[in-house]
């Protein structure tokens, strides 16, 4: 009898603590997702980045200067080093 009551009490406490922690996590304000431009402004120039474009291509290279409309990316293409200016509109994500 006492064993059953203790088991019920433990179960109730576990359920209560898990629901309390879940509610606490929901109350924390999540940071709004950043746009691609804001992500690029936080990356130092000269860093190696991997850019996923809107057409699902990936380009890995060094980040150059950043403007209001895009950024410069230095990468290798056909064995040569190329610097290309990419628009933020064409970028899906950056890593």
């Amino acid at each position: 009898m006492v064993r059953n009551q203790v088991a019920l009490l433990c179960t109730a406490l576990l359920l209560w603590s898990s629901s309390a922690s879940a509610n606490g996590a929901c109350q924390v304000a999540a940071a709004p997702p950043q746009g691609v431009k804001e992500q690029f402004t936080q990356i130092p120039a000269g860093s190696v980045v991997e850019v996923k474009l809107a057409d699902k291509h990936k380009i890995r290279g060094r980040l150059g200067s950043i403007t209001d409309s895009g950024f410069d990316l230095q990468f290798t293409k056909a064995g040569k080093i190329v610097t290309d200016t990419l628009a933020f509109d064409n970028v899906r994500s950056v890593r």
Side-chain angles (χ1 to χ4, degrees):
M1 176 95 171
V2 173
R3 183 181 270 174
N4 288 342
Q5 290 176 345
V6 171
L8 276 172
L9 179 63
C10 289
T11 304
L13 288 173
L14 284 171
L15 289 173
W16 177 75
S17 66
S18 66
S19 67
S21 65
N23 288 341
C26 292
Q27 292 175 356
V28 174
Q34 293 182 335
V36 174
K37 184 176 178 180
E38 288 80 19
Q39 289 177 348
F40 274 103
T41 58
Q42 294 177 356
I43 301 172
S47 298
V48 177
V49 294
E50 182 178 272
V51 178
K52 289 184 184 178
L53 301 176
D55 62 0
K56 299 185 181 177
H57 284 94
K58 291 181 186 177
I59 302 174
R60 184 176 171 91
R62 288 202 182 272
L63 182 62
S65 62
I66 300 172
T67 63
D68 289 335
S69 60
F71 60 97
D72 290 336
L73 188 67
Q74 186 179 35
F75 58 97
T76 58
K77 185 176 185 178
K80 296 182 180 180
I81 298 175
V82 178
T83 302
D84 197 6
T85 302
L86 302 172
F88 291 122
D89 296 338
N90 295 335
V91 176
R92 182 186 273 178
S93 67
V94 62
R95 235 184 348 170

